[in-house]
Amino acid sequence: MPLIETKDLVKKFDNFTAVKKINFHIQQGEIFGLLGPNGAGKTTTISMLSTLLKPSNGDAFISGHSVVEEPLLVRQIIGVVPQEIALYDDLTAEENLKFWGRMYRMSGKELTRQIEKVLEQIGLTDRKKDRVETYSGGMKRRLNIGVGLLHQPQLLFMDEPTVGIDPQSRRKILDTVIELNQQGLTVLYTTHYMEEAQELSHRVGIIDHGEMIAIGNQQELTEMVGEYDTMRLHIQAQEDGQQLAARLKEIPEIIEASTADHEIVIITPTAEDVLPTVINIANQLNIKIRSIDIQEPNLEAVFLHLTGRALRD
Amino acid sequence: MKQIIHIALKDIKIEFSEKSTLIFFLLLPIVFTTIIGLGLKNSYGNDEPEDPRLVIVVVNQDDGRYGEQLLEFMEQSDTSRPVLRSKDEAKTLMQNESISSFLEIPTNFSQKILEGKKVQIEFTKYAESTTAVGLEQDLLSSIGKLNTVISIRAQGLETINKQPDFPKINQEGFLLEMEKITIDRLKNPPTKAISTQSELVQNQIPTGFEQSSPGQLVTWVLTTLLGGSEAFVYERNKGTLRRLLITPNRKAIIFSGKILGRLLMGIVQMILLIGFGAMVLNVYWGKDYLALAIMLFCFGLAGTALGIMLASFARTVRQASGLTILFSMVLAALGGAWWPLEITPKAYQTAVQILPSTWAMRGFNDVIIRGQNVQGIILEASVLLGFALLFFVVGIWRLKFE
């Protein structure tokens, strides 16, 4: 039996449908990456699975318990690391953990032992007596994760846990997720960073405009776009990327070309062959290319292939 | 239940994590209670207790001693006291309904008595005024005493007339002496009814610390209680409320915890301020501790509920903070916490009945200056509970947890 199973999960906010009949399952011991751009419906999906939001239609089952009918049972099984840093800044790390542990009916030696274990896991033992308001962004993120782990859940929901932090803290968090998974924890990890989904996930669900547009492991997903390379052209901020992308789409060897964050993402079967043509067109348009990056088939290419847009559009 | 207490204690801990909280929680209330109490004492001047007796307006047109004597008997009454006015003034006061009656002692009242003639004094009153009836009864008692004096004088005169050899030169002196003895006897009768009164001074208008102690308590505790709106909005915007909602606890438990925390803070603050008022400022906070406890609880609950309702209207902490200050100050000021409602016009006193602070002040004044017990504050406590219910219903209906 899968640990998570959703059945036609729908969430509507007035006239807007944020999640449209999503169906997927997650097996015990998996890291499942939910990949999609901002506003795709990732947080709404996690909110329904964690019983914070009631589905407008459909249902989801966590370890066999309905999120609609048995929310209290579901909450005992899951741990949630929200996107925002949901901690009490005026309390210390230890006080925060103690409070959240008590909310899960933990007490006494069990709670103390578990707090020490979690602090060790997230590398904050030395700072446990300091108020959270004195922590760096990365430390707060780690403590945010620690609260989600405290009651030893079977399943951990992590909603974009690396947003807005430095590369070192991000690395630490990714390592923690891998380590927790190796210890048997099942993880549902949402992100809009393709690299994180690729590195962490056993399987990935790609979500866009509230719809699950693809699910599979990395190999299965990249096969959807064939043996295509992804070429990224980094251009100056003031340059007209749209015009360049439009011209590049006219080249028969280029499958897809789109712009995002001062870069143009090109999907092509033969990156090295089309490179001189691309540079030539850029010169014709007087667009200066700062750097070029060529990658083998990846999730970015899958997303671009399925939606016609780059992940960070 | 444990979870409710943990949430409440967490809220209290966060509130007092900053030492500056104590300034608003205790220091400023104490300073304001003292300063305003001193100011109000000077303003309403209660060094000499006000005469609580009913006023009977008297128009004295007599220039003799019996008119004066009647006024003296009237002054000795426990229930009314004479206040002299001209006839025109008395008529105007009657027309304005400022008084319900007045007494007119006619011209040559004393002279006619001395001449042995019958005299009438006129008591004008509104037909259905119970106050006037009371004053009339009191007046009859004084007139009875005066008649006694006059009768004694008449008997004295008869005695003199029966003794033809009584020296004429001593006649008036003898009669005056008899009158004097009678008056003294009437002032100090051998038997006297003693009425037992409450040990409290029955001031109708609270003054000095009697006003500032409950008044500043209501003001500052309201700030604490309504501050619950800020705490609630802060948690909602920070995401900790959402995180609480996905713990295995029902929404009602989380909500109750938040209410309990705020209520406890308010009650502790009230106890500390009452302690200061009673021990340092010698304010008499009543003898019925149960009545006082009921008032504290009901006021605390109404204030906490209002805080929840305000939270439902605020989207940011700044908005909630603004609403807290605005509501606590306006409610306190209008509800009689800053000055006694008794000095305001009747229409104003009626209008502010719609405010919970008015009922809180009424209840506290009942306990402090009127020495009321539980029965005496049931109305105020019930109205405050009604306010609490109303605010909770509106708050819960509008409140967004997510």
Side-chain angles (χ1 to χ4, degrees):
Chain A
M1 184 178 67
L3 195 55
I4 296 181
E5 189 171 17
T6 71
K7 287 188 174 167
D8 295 334
L9 209 53
V10 175
K11 185 64 195 177
K12 289 181 181 174
F13 297 103
D14 297 323
N15 294 325
F16 173 70
T17 307
V19 172
K20 301 166 186 168
K21 283 198 172 186
I22 278 186
N23 287 295
F24 68 97
H25 69 270
I26 300 173
Q27 296 295 340
Q28 183 129 22
E30 257 191 318
I31 298 181
F32 185 88
L34 198 54
L35 178 69
N38 290 329
K42 303 186 295 290
T43 301
T44 307
T45 304
I46 276 202
S47 296
M48 285 189 283
L49 294 177
S50 59
T51 75
L52 186 61
L53 288 179
K54 204 172 174 183
S56 307
N57 253 313
D59 202 346
F61 299 88
I62 314 279
S63 203
H65 300 293
S66 158
V67 295
V68 179
E69 304 294 333
E70 303 161 289
L72 290 179
L73 281 174
V74 169
R75 289 176 201 169
Q76 282 170 348
I77 298 165
I78 61 167
V80 181
V81 180
Q83 194 170 345
E84 68 267 55
I85 296 169
L87 301 167
Y88 297 107
D89 288 342
D90 298 314
L91 303 182
T92 65
E94 193 176 35
E95 288 168 341
N96 263 285
L97 290 169
K98 203 172 271 183
F99 170 72
W100 290 109
R102 282 171 175 157
M103 287 300 99
Y104 284 90
R105 293 169 170 71
M106 297 170 77
S107 60
K109 283 180 184 168
E110 180 209 8
L111 178 58
T112 311
R113 198 170 44 241
Q114 196 56 22
I115 287 173
E116 292 304 321
K117 185 181 158 191
V118 166
L119 283 169
E120 192 65 41
Q121 257 174 333
I122 58 176
L124 287 175
T125 305
D126 295 342
R127 298 288 306 271
K128 67 178 181 181
K129 299 282 184 194
D130 294 337
R131 280 195 191 188
V132 173
E133 64 187 358
T134 64
Y135 285 11
S136 68
M139 290 163 76
K140 286 179 184 176
R141 284 268 167 215
R142 273 143 58 194
L143 183 58
N144 208 29
I145 295 171
V147 171
L149 295 172
L150 193 66
H151 61 288
Q152 298 175 285
Q154 285 181 47
L155 170 65
L156 186 66
F157 295 142
M158 302 183 87
D159 192 8
E160 308 228 23
T162 59
V163 168
I165 55 168
D166 60 280
Q168 201 182 348
S169 296
R170 173 191 271 203
R171 187 66 257 158
K172 172 84 182 163
I173 287 172
L174 297 182
D175 289 345
T176 306
V177 175
I178 293 167
E179 192 185 317
L180 289 167
N181 178 251
Q182 284 168 351
Q183 291 166 9
L185 186 67
T186 308
V187 180
L188 170 56
Y189 189 101
T190 80
T191 182
H192 63 269
Y193 296 125
M194 181 265 302
E195 305 83 357
E196 287 185 6
Q198 280 192 169
E199 181 185 343
L200 294 176
S201 312
H202 298 114
R203 286 191 310 133
V204 175
I206 299 179
I207 186 169
D208 187 41
H209 294 308
E211 287 180 280
M212 192 71 89
I213 55 177
I215 298 180
N217 60 34
Q218 203 178 328
Q219 191 184 344
E220 288 166 345
L221 291 172
T222 49
E223 278 172 2
M224 291 171 77
V225 285
E227 292 298 311
Y228 296 144
D229 294 336
T230 302
M231 190 192 306
R232 291 171 189 276
L233 309 181
H234 300 276
I235 57 172
Q236 301 277 8
Q238 67 275 17
E239 302 283 12
D240 187 356
Q242 298 277 5
Q243 195 189 2
L244 178 56
R247 284 286 302 276
L248 293 176
K249 278 183 184 172
E250 293 168 4
I251 301 169
E253 290 85 3
I254 290 180
I255 308 296
E256 199 56 64
S258 70
T259 55
D261 294 347
H262 317 305
E263 70 177 25
I264 295 157
V265 184
I266 300 162
I267 307 295
T268 174
T270 51
E272 285 171 16
D273 293 347
V274 297
L275 185 56
T277 317
V278 170
I279 293 169
N280 196 24
I281 292 172
N283 284 336
Q284 284 172 19
L285 295 171
N286 279 328
I287 292 173
K288 286 186 179 150
I289 297 169
R290 292 167 60 207
S291 65
I292 298 171
D293 182 21
I294 297 172
Q295 291 173 330
E296 294 193 341
N298 60 23
L299 295 176
E300 176 84 54
V302 176
F303 190 82
L304 192 62
H305 172 72
L306 292 171
T307 66
R309 291 177 289 114
L311 254 175
R312 275 161 279 179
D313 262 0
Chain B
M1 187 61 195
K2 271 187 182 175
Q3 272 62 37
I4 294 176
I5 293 168
H6 289 317
I7 292 170
L9 293 178
K10 180 265 299 169
D11 277 4
I12 294 170
K13 194 167 196 171
I14 288 176
E15 190 76 23
F16 289 95
S17 61
E18 296 293 336
K19 287 194 173 69
S20 59
T21 303
L22 282 172
I23 294 175
F24 293 92
F25 192 79
L26 204 56
L27 188 64
L28 286 179
I30 283 175
V31 169
F32 273 74
T33 303
T34 309
I35 293 173
I36 291 176
L38 291 170
L40 289 179
K41 193 171 185 179
N42 294 336
S43 298
Y44 310 132
N46 198 37
D47 293 339
E48 291 296 323
E50 201 177 292
D51 195 332
R53 294 177 298 170
L54 294 169
V55 167
I56 178 164
V57 169
V58 180
V59 179
N60 186 10
Q61 294 173 316
D62 180 43
D63 53 2
R65 70 170 186 271
Y66 291 114
E68 282 298 322
Q69 188 56 58
L70 178 60
L71 286 170
E72 202 180 316
F73 282 135
M74 288 168 74
E75 185 59 55
Q76 287 163 6
S77 165
D78 289 335
T79 50
S80 68
R81 62 188 170 95
V83 172
L84 290 174
R85 290 283 183 271
S86 71
K87 191 164 184 177
D88 287 343
E89 285 174 335
K91 282 182 174 174
T92 309
L93 288 169
M94 276 290 279
Q95 279 164 5
N96 294 344
E97 298 184 19
S98 300
I99 57 173
S100 57
S101 60
F102 73 91
L103 172 72
E104 188 179 349
I105 303 172
T107 318
N108 297 329
F109 174 69
S110 299
Q111 186 57 41
K112 285 177 182 169
I113 289 172
L114 287 171
E115 288 168 5
K117 294 178 182 170
K118 282 196 170 181
V119 252
Q120 284 191 332
I121 53 176
E122 199 172 332
F123 184 68
T124 310
K125 64 173 183 179
Y126 281 117
E128 295 184 359
S129 168
T130 50
T131 308
V133 172
L135 289 173
E136 190 176 13
Q137 291 300 317
D138 210 33
L139 175 63
L140 287 175
S141 164
S142 300
I143 290 172
K145 287 177 184 172
L146 185 65
N147 283 336
T148 306
V149 174
I150 294 165
S151 298
I152 295 294
R153 179 186 170 86
Q155 282 177 25
L157 201 57
E158 273 179 34
T159 307
I160 289 170
N161 288 341
K162 284 177 187 169
Q163 296 177 23
D165 55 338
F166 198 96
K168 260 209 174 198
I169 197 159
N170 289 340
Q171 279 184 12
E172 190 55 26
F174 173 71
L175 292 172
L176 283 174
E177 188 58 27
M178 286 187 74
E179 277 184 26
K180 189 173 175 296
I181 291 166
T182 309
I183 289 165
D184 285 346
R185 289 271 167 88
L186 286 168
K187 280 183 182 172
N188 301 296
T191 54
K192 194 174 181 179
I194 296 170
S195 60
T196 308
Q197 291 187 3
S198 160
E199 61 197 40
L200 292 165
V201 177
Q202 295 290 302
N203 287 348
Q204 288 304 303
I205 302 178
T207 56
F209 297 131
E210 281 177 352
Q211 166 66 25
S212 73
S213 187
Q216 290 305 302
L217 177 149
V218 165
T219 305
W220 293 95
V221 172
L222 263 179
T223 312
T224 300
L225 296 173
L226 301 193
S229 65
E230 282 175 67
F232 201 94
V233 173
Y234 175 78
E235 278 224 46
R236 187 175 61 201
N237 293 355
K238 190 90 173 78
T240 45
L241 198 56
R242 276 188 292 279
R243 192 164 217 167
L244 273 172
L245 289 169
I246 48 179
T247 61
N249 299 294
R250 292 182 192 283
K251 206 182 252 187
I253 286 181
I254 296 162
F255 197 66
S256 305
K258 308 279 316 163
I259 290 169
L260 179 67
R262 199 47 57 172
L263 185 61
L264 280 177
M265 277 184 251
I267 287 177
V268 167
Q269 190 181 17
M270 286 191 264
I271 291 170
L272 290 174
L273 293 180
I274 287 171
F276 174 77
M279 287 192 270
V280 181
L281 304 177
N282 287 324
V283 175
Y284 180 74
W285 268 91
K287 58 187 175 187
D288 194 326
Y289 297 128
L290 183 60
L292 185 58
I294 290 171
M295 276 306 301
L296 296 185
F297 177 76
C298 293
F299 171 56
L301 206 60
T304 306
L306 182 56
I308 295 289
M309 193 177 90
L310 292 183
S312 75
F313 288 98
R315 281 194 299 172
T316 63
V317 174
R318 205 169 173 172
Q319 282 175 355
S321 176
L323 286 174
T324 297
I325 300 294
L326 179 74
F327 270 74
S328 53
M329 293 301 139
V330 169
L331 284 177
L334 297 182
W338 292 3
W339 53 79
L341 279 184
E342 288 81 356
I343 65 164
T344 62
K346 286 277 178 211
Y348 176 90
Q349 291 182 31
T350 308
V352 295
Q353 302 289 312
I354 59 164
L355 306 176
S357 47
T358 305
W359 292 89
M361 280 306 294
R362 262 183 64 165
F364 287 134
N365 282 339
D366 277 350
V367 173
I368 299 171
I369 62 170
R370 289 183 271 276
Q372 296 282 8
N373 57 15
V374 174
Q375 273 191 326
I377 52 95
I378 274 184
L379 174 65
E380 287 85 351
S382 305
V383 173
L384 285 172
L385 284 179
F387 274 116
L389 187 67
L390 174 73
F391 296 147
F392 274 135
V393 167
V394 176
I396 292 166
W397 169 54
R398 284 186 48 91
L399 204 60
K400 285 186 171 63
F401 277 77
E402 292 90 24

